Every structure is written in C-alpha cells, then in structure tokens.
PDB file of all heavy atoms in Angstrom:
ATOM      1  N   VAL D  21       0.868  -1.186  -0.013  1.00  0.00           N
ATOM      2  CA  VAL D  21      -0.024   0.006  -0.064  1.00  0.00           C
ATOM      3  C   VAL D  21       0.907   1.240  -0.029  1.00  0.00           C
ATOM      4  O   VAL D  21       1.813   1.322   0.739  1.00  0.00           O
ATOM      5  CB  VAL D  21      -0.921   0.014   1.237  1.00  0.00           C
ATOM      6  CG1 VAL D  21      -1.787   1.239   1.194  1.00  0.00           C
ATOM      7  CG2 VAL D  21      -1.766  -1.234   1.247  1.00  0.00           C
ATOM      8  N   VAL D  22       0.567   2.192  -0.902  1.00  0.00           N
ATOM      9  CA  VAL D  22       1.418   3.405  -0.988  1.00  0.00           C
ATOM     10  C   VAL D  22       0.475   4.569  -1.273  1.00  0.00           C
ATOM     11  O   VAL D  22      -0.608   4.392  -1.895  1.00  0.00           O
ATOM     12  CB  VAL D  22       2.544   3.185  -2.132  1.00  0.00           C
ATOM     13  CG1 VAL D  22       1.831   3.032  -3.493  1.00  0.00           C
ATOM     14  CG2 VAL D  22       3.517   4.310  -2.140  1.00  0.00           C
ATOM     15  N   GLN D  23       0.899   5.695  -0.922  1.00  0.00           N
ATOM     16  CA  GLN D  23       0.105   6.888  -1.091  1.00  0.00           C
ATOM     17  C   GLN D  23       0.299   7.366  -2.536  1.00  0.00           C
ATOM     18  O   GLN D  23       1.337   7.121  -3.154  1.00  0.00           O
ATOM     19  CB  GLN D  23       0.525   8.036  -0.136  1.00  0.00           C
ATOM     20  CG  GLN D  23       0.162   7.742   1.302  1.00  0.00           C
ATOM     21  CD  GLN D  23       0.346   8.915   2.219  1.00  0.00           C
ATOM     22  OE1 GLN D  23       1.161   9.808   1.884  1.00  0.00           O
ATOM     23  NE2 GLN D  23      -0.259   8.965   3.355  1.00  0.00           N
ATOM     24  N   PRO D  24      -0.636   8.130  -3.077  1.00  0.00           N
ATOM     25  CA  PRO D  24      -0.418   8.744  -4.396  1.00  0.00           C
ATOM     26  C   PRO D  24       0.890   9.557  -4.448  1.00  0.00           C
ATOM     27  O   PRO D  24       1.090  10.304  -3.511  1.00  0.00           O
ATOM     28  CB  PRO D  24      -1.665   9.610  -4.551  1.00  0.00           C
ATOM     29  CG  PRO D  24      -2.701   8.961  -3.719  1.00  0.00           C
ATOM     30  CD  PRO D  24      -1.943   8.392  -2.544  1.00  0.00           C
ATOM     31  N   GLY D  25       1.551   9.409  -5.564  1.00  0.00           N
ATOM     32  CA  GLY D  25       2.829  10.077  -5.671  1.00  0.00           C
ATOM     33  C   GLY D  25       4.025   9.319  -5.187  1.00  0.00           C
ATOM     34  O   GLY D  25       5.157   9.618  -5.440  1.00  0.00           O
ATOM     35  N   GLY D  26       3.766   8.178  -4.515  1.00  0.00           N
ATOM     36  CA  GLY D  26       4.772   7.371  -3.976  1.00  0.00           C
ATOM     37  C   GLY D  26       5.386   6.405  -5.017  1.00  0.00           C
ATOM     38  O   GLY D  26       4.998   6.399  -6.204  1.00  0.00           O
ATOM     39  N   SER D  27       6.259   5.500  -4.529  1.00  0.00           N
ATOM     40  CA  SER D  27       7.050   4.654  -5.334  1.00  0.00           C
ATOM     41  C   SER D  27       7.052   3.212  -4.749  1.00  0.00           C
ATOM     42  O   SER D  27       6.999   3.039  -3.571  1.00  0.00           O
ATOM     43  CB  SER D  27       8.525   5.077  -5.531  1.00  0.00           C
ATOM     44  OG  SER D  27       8.589   6.325  -6.164  1.00  0.00           O
ATOM     45  N   LEU D  28       7.123   2.238  -5.629  1.00  0.00           N
ATOM     46  CA  LEU D  28       7.291   0.820  -5.273  1.00  0.00           C
ATOM     47  C   LEU D  28       8.207   0.192  -6.328  1.00  0.00           C
ATOM     48  O   LEU D  28       8.209   0.656  -7.515  1.00  0.00           O
ATOM     49  CB  LEU D  28       5.937   0.104  -5.196  1.00  0.00           C
ATOM     50  CG  LEU D  28       5.075   0.235  -3.987  1.00  0.00           C
ATOM     51  CD1 LEU D  28       3.780  -0.472  -4.206  1.00  0.00           C
ATOM     52  CD2 LEU D  28       5.709  -0.248  -2.708  1.00  0.00           C
ATOM     53  N   ARG D  29       8.944  -0.822  -5.929  1.00  0.00           N
ATOM     54  CA  ARG D  29       9.690  -1.638  -6.845  1.00  0.00           C
ATOM     55  C   ARG D  29       9.249  -3.103  -6.705  1.00  0.00           C
ATOM     56  O   ARG D  29       9.366  -3.716  -5.661  1.00  0.00           O
ATOM     57  CB  ARG D  29      11.164  -1.589  -6.668  1.00  0.00           C
ATOM     58  CG  ARG D  29      11.944  -2.253  -7.786  1.00  0.00           C
ATOM     59  CD  ARG D  29      13.406  -2.172  -7.636  1.00  0.00           C
ATOM     60  NE  ARG D  29      13.964  -3.099  -6.618  1.00  0.00           N
ATOM     61  CZ  ARG D  29      15.230  -3.426  -6.626  1.00  0.00           C
ATOM     62  NH1 ARG D  29      16.090  -3.015  -7.553  1.00  0.00           N
ATOM     63  NH2 ARG D  29      15.685  -4.296  -5.706  1.00  0.00           N
ATOM     64  N   LEU D  30       8.684  -3.527  -7.761  1.00  0.00           N
ATOM     65  CA  LEU D  30       8.257  -4.984  -7.837  1.00  0.00           C
ATOM     66  C   LEU D  30       9.425  -5.892  -8.323  1.00  0.00           C
ATOM     67  O   LEU D  30      10.219  -5.423  -9.167  1.00  0.00           O
ATOM     68  CB  LEU D  30       7.061  -5.249  -8.778  1.00  0.00           C
ATOM     69  CG  LEU D  30       5.828  -4.327  -8.472  1.00  0.00           C
ATOM     70  CD1 LEU D  30       4.706  -4.707  -9.410  1.00  0.00           C
ATOM     71  CD2 LEU D  30       5.404  -4.399  -7.036  1.00  0.00           C
ATOM     72  N   SER D  31       9.451  -7.058  -7.815  1.00  0.00           N
ATOM     73  CA  SER D  31      10.438  -8.034  -8.279  1.00  0.00           C
ATOM     74  C   SER D  31       9.789  -9.343  -8.739  1.00  0.00           C
ATOM     75  O   SER D  31       8.734  -9.687  -8.162  1.00  0.00           O
ATOM     76  CB  SER D  31      11.458  -8.405  -7.094  1.00  0.00           C
ATOM     77  OG  SER D  31      12.143  -7.228  -6.652  1.00  0.00           O
ATOM     78  N   CYS D  32      10.368  -9.963  -9.640  1.00  0.00           N
ATOM     79  CA  CYS D  32       9.915 -11.267 -10.124  1.00  0.00           C
ATOM     80  C   CYS D  32      11.083 -12.136 -10.256  1.00  0.00           C
ATOM     81  O   CYS D  32      11.986 -12.039 -11.152  1.00  0.00           O
ATOM     82  CB  CYS D  32       9.231 -11.146 -11.496  1.00  0.00           C
ATOM     83  SG  CYS D  32       8.787 -12.749 -12.290  1.00  0.00           S
ATOM     84  N   ALA D  33      11.183 -13.128  -9.321  1.00  0.00           N
ATOM     85  CA  ALA D  33      12.351 -14.073  -9.340  1.00  0.00           C
ATOM     86  C   ALA D  33      11.985 -15.242 -10.146  1.00  0.00           C
ATOM     87  O   ALA D  33      10.938 -15.899  -9.948  1.00  0.00           O
ATOM     88  CB  ALA D  33      12.630 -14.486  -7.861  1.00  0.00           C
ATOM     89  N   ALA D  34      12.861 -15.590 -11.104  1.00  0.00           N
ATOM     90  CA  ALA D  34      12.598 -16.698 -11.997  1.00  0.00           C
ATOM     91  C   ALA D  34      13.558 -17.858 -11.640  1.00  0.00           C
ATOM     92  O   ALA D  34      14.727 -17.644 -11.256  1.00  0.00           O
ATOM     93  CB  ALA D  34      12.856 -16.248 -13.440  1.00  0.00           C
ATOM     94  N   SER D  35      13.000 -19.101 -11.802  1.00  0.00           N
ATOM     95  CA  SER D  35      13.770 -20.288 -11.542  1.00  0.00           C
ATOM     96  C   SER D  35      13.310 -21.345 -12.590  1.00  0.00           C
ATOM     97  O   SER D  35      12.279 -21.249 -13.166  1.00  0.00           O
ATOM     98  CB  SER D  35      13.633 -20.794 -10.083  1.00  0.00           C
ATOM     99  OG  SER D  35      12.329 -21.087  -9.800  1.00  0.00           O
ATOM    100  N   GLY D  36      14.050 -22.431 -12.669  1.00  0.00           N
ATOM    101  CA  GLY D  36      13.700 -23.456 -13.540  1.00  0.00           C
ATOM    102  C   GLY D  36      14.567 -23.346 -14.854  1.00  0.00           C
ATOM    103  O   GLY D  36      15.709 -22.950 -14.810  1.00  0.00           O
ATOM    104  N   ILE D  37      13.940 -23.666 -15.965  1.00  0.00           N
ATOM    105  CA  ILE D  37      14.657 -23.616 -17.290  1.00  0.00           C
ATOM    106  C   ILE D  37      14.620 -22.212 -17.811  1.00  0.00           C
ATOM    107  O   ILE D  37      13.853 -21.848 -18.710  1.00  0.00           O
ATOM    108  CB  ILE D  37      14.109 -24.658 -18.203  1.00  0.00           C
ATOM    109  CG1 ILE D  37      14.043 -26.024 -17.608  1.00  0.00           C
ATOM    110  CG2 ILE D  37      14.935 -24.681 -19.474  1.00  0.00           C
ATOM    111  CD1 ILE D  37      13.350 -27.109 -18.444  1.00  0.00           C
ATOM    112  N   ILE D  38      15.437 -21.311 -17.250  1.00  0.00           N
ATOM    113  CA  ILE D  38      15.303 -19.881 -17.613  1.00  0.00           C
ATOM    114  C   ILE D  38      16.176 -19.496 -18.776  1.00  0.00           C
ATOM    115  O   ILE D  38      16.113 -18.415 -19.305  1.00  0.00           O
ATOM    116  CB  ILE D  38      15.686 -18.984 -16.384  1.00  0.00           C
ATOM    117  CG1 ILE D  38      17.160 -19.304 -15.929  1.00  0.00           C
ATOM    118  CG2 ILE D  38      14.658 -19.218 -15.235  1.00  0.00           C
ATOM    119  CD1 ILE D  38      17.627 -18.415 -14.815  1.00  0.00           C
ATOM    120  N   SER D  39      17.107 -20.383 -19.218  1.00  0.00           N
ATOM    121  CA  SER D  39      18.025 -20.090 -20.221  1.00  0.00           C
ATOM    122  C   SER D  39      17.254 -19.866 -21.620  1.00  0.00           C
ATOM    123  O   SER D  39      17.854 -19.270 -22.496  1.00  0.00           O
ATOM    124  CB  SER D  39      19.082 -21.155 -20.422  1.00  0.00           C
ATOM    125  OG  SER D  39      18.499 -22.401 -20.745  1.00  0.00           O
ATOM    126  N   THR D  40      16.046 -20.350 -21.719  1.00  0.00           N
ATOM    127  CA  THR D  40      15.353 -20.236 -22.971  1.00  0.00           C
ATOM    128  C   THR D  40      14.417 -19.065 -23.051  1.00  0.00           C
ATOM    129  O   THR D  40      13.708 -18.844 -23.980  1.00  0.00           O
ATOM    130  CB  THR D  40      14.563 -21.563 -23.279  1.00  0.00           C
ATOM    131  OG1 THR D  40      13.497 -21.683 -22.200  1.00  0.00           O
ATOM    132  CG2 THR D  40      15.437 -22.714 -23.284  1.00  0.00           C
ATOM    133  N   ILE D  41      14.399 -18.248 -21.881  1.00  0.00           N
ATOM    134  CA  ILE D  41      13.461 -17.036 -21.894  1.00  0.00           C
ATOM    135  C   ILE D  41      14.032 -15.989 -22.868  1.00  0.00           C
ATOM    136  O   ILE D  41      15.197 -15.716 -22.856  1.00  0.00           O
ATOM    137  CB  ILE D  41      13.397 -16.504 -20.490  1.00  0.00           C
ATOM    138  CG1 ILE D  41      12.702 -17.470 -19.531  1.00  0.00           C
ATOM    139  CG2 ILE D  41      12.676 -15.193 -20.423  1.00  0.00           C
ATOM    140  CD1 ILE D  41      12.780 -16.998 -18.109  1.00  0.00           C
ATOM    141  N   TYR D  42      13.093 -15.456 -23.684  1.00  0.00           N
ATOM    142  CA  TYR D  42      13.488 -14.395 -24.585  1.00  0.00           C
ATOM    143  C   TYR D  42      12.673 -13.087 -24.421  1.00  0.00           C
ATOM    144  O   TYR D  42      12.930 -12.103 -25.011  1.00  0.00           O
ATOM    145  CB  TYR D  42      13.451 -14.873 -26.065  1.00  0.00           C
ATOM    146  CG  TYR D  42      12.129 -15.309 -26.528  1.00  0.00           C
ATOM    147  CD1 TYR D  42      11.178 -14.406 -26.997  1.00  0.00           C
ATOM    148  CD2 TYR D  42      11.727 -16.680 -26.455  1.00  0.00           C
ATOM    149  CE1 TYR D  42       9.937 -14.862 -27.479  1.00  0.00           C
ATOM    150  CE2 TYR D  42      10.519 -17.067 -26.911  1.00  0.00           C
ATOM    151  CZ  TYR D  42       9.633 -16.214 -27.407  1.00  0.00           C
ATOM    152  OH  TYR D  42       8.414 -16.633 -27.798  1.00  0.00           O
ATOM    153  N   TYR D  43      11.612 -13.164 -23.621  1.00  0.00           N
ATOM    154  CA  TYR D  43      10.708 -12.080 -23.345  1.00  0.00           C
ATOM    155  C   TYR D  43      10.161 -12.107 -22.029  1.00  0.00           C
ATOM    156  O   TYR D  43       9.714 -13.166 -21.496  1.00  0.00           O
ATOM    157  CB  TYR D  43       9.628 -12.192 -24.401  1.00  0.00           C
ATOM    158  CG  TYR D  43       8.490 -11.270 -24.232  1.00  0.00           C
ATOM    159  CD1 TYR D  43       8.458 -10.012 -25.067  1.00  0.00           C
ATOM    160  CD2 TYR D  43       7.343 -11.523 -23.402  1.00  0.00           C
ATOM    161  CE1 TYR D  43       7.359  -9.104 -24.934  1.00  0.00           C
ATOM    162  CE2 TYR D  43       6.299 -10.630 -23.353  1.00  0.00           C
ATOM    163  CZ  TYR D  43       6.287  -9.410 -24.101  1.00  0.00           C
ATOM    164  OH  TYR D  43       5.283  -8.579 -23.983  1.00  0.00           O
ATOM    165  N   MET D  44      10.229 -10.983 -21.268  1.00  0.00           N
ATOM    166  CA  MET D  44       9.729 -10.879 -19.942  1.00  0.00           C
ATOM    167  C   MET D  44       8.875  -9.639 -19.862  1.00  0.00           C
ATOM    168  O   MET D  44       9.156  -8.655 -20.436  1.00  0.00           O
ATOM    169  CB  MET D  44      10.859 -10.777 -18.866  1.00  0.00           C
ATOM    170  CG  MET D  44      11.835 -12.007 -18.958  1.00  0.00           C
ATOM    171  SD  MET D  44      13.015 -11.950 -17.637  1.00  0.00           S
ATOM    172  CE  MET D  44      11.989 -12.618 -16.254  1.00  0.00           C
ATOM    173  N   SER D  45       7.806  -9.764 -19.001  1.00  0.00           N
ATOM    174  CA  SER D  45       6.879  -8.580 -19.018  1.00  0.00           C
ATOM    175  C   SER D  45       6.117  -8.539 -17.674  1.00  0.00           C
ATOM    176  O   SER D  45       6.127  -9.473 -16.893  1.00  0.00           O
ATOM    177  CB  SER D  45       5.909  -8.671 -20.169  1.00  0.00           C
ATOM    178  OG  SER D  45       5.115  -9.834 -20.066  1.00  0.00           O
ATOM    179  N   TRP D  46       5.515  -7.433 -17.461  1.00  0.00           N
ATOM    180  CA  TRP D  46       4.618  -7.199 -16.316  1.00  0.00           C
ATOM    181  C   TRP D  46       3.180  -6.900 -16.923  1.00  0.00           C
ATOM    182  O   TRP D  46       3.113  -6.036 -17.755  1.00  0.00           O
ATOM    183  CB  TRP D  46       4.981  -5.995 -15.434  1.00  0.00           C
ATOM    184  CG  TRP D  46       6.235  -6.300 -14.652  1.00  0.00           C
ATOM    185  CD1 TRP D  46       7.528  -5.951 -14.927  1.00  0.00           C
ATOM    186  CD2 TRP D  46       6.306  -7.005 -13.333  1.00  0.00           C
ATOM    187  NE1 TRP D  46       8.391  -6.438 -13.953  1.00  0.00           N
ATOM    188  CE2 TRP D  46       7.667  -7.000 -12.918  1.00  0.00           C
ATOM    189  CE3 TRP D  46       5.322  -7.534 -12.566  1.00  0.00           C
ATOM    190  CZ2 TRP D  46       8.072  -7.560 -11.766  1.00  0.00           C
ATOM    191  CZ3 TRP D  46       5.697  -8.110 -11.344  1.00  0.00           C
ATOM    192  CH2 TRP D  46       7.099  -8.160 -10.998  1.00  0.00           C
TER     193      TRP D  46
END
C-alpha cells in the first residue's frame, strides 16, 4: 500500500529452465 505520488519496486524471481526465456513482462 502506497500513497499517491509514492514509489514501489516490484520483483519477479525466475527459476527453472530460464536459459530459454527471450521475453519478460509485467
């Protein structure tokens, strides 16, 4: 929860067969 005007940083940790990933998105 953040107030208007504030900041957050989202993270997405990947595991498994990640060497074949060519595109990542939110």
Side-chain angles (χ1 to χ4, degrees):
V21 180
V22 63
Q23 292 187 340
S27 297
L28 281 175
R29 188 177 78 159
L30 305 183
S31 300
C32 172
S35 60
I37 307 175
I38 61 175
S39 61
T40 63
I41 294 174
Y42 59 88
Y43 173 93
M44 302 186 77
S45 61
W46 288 96

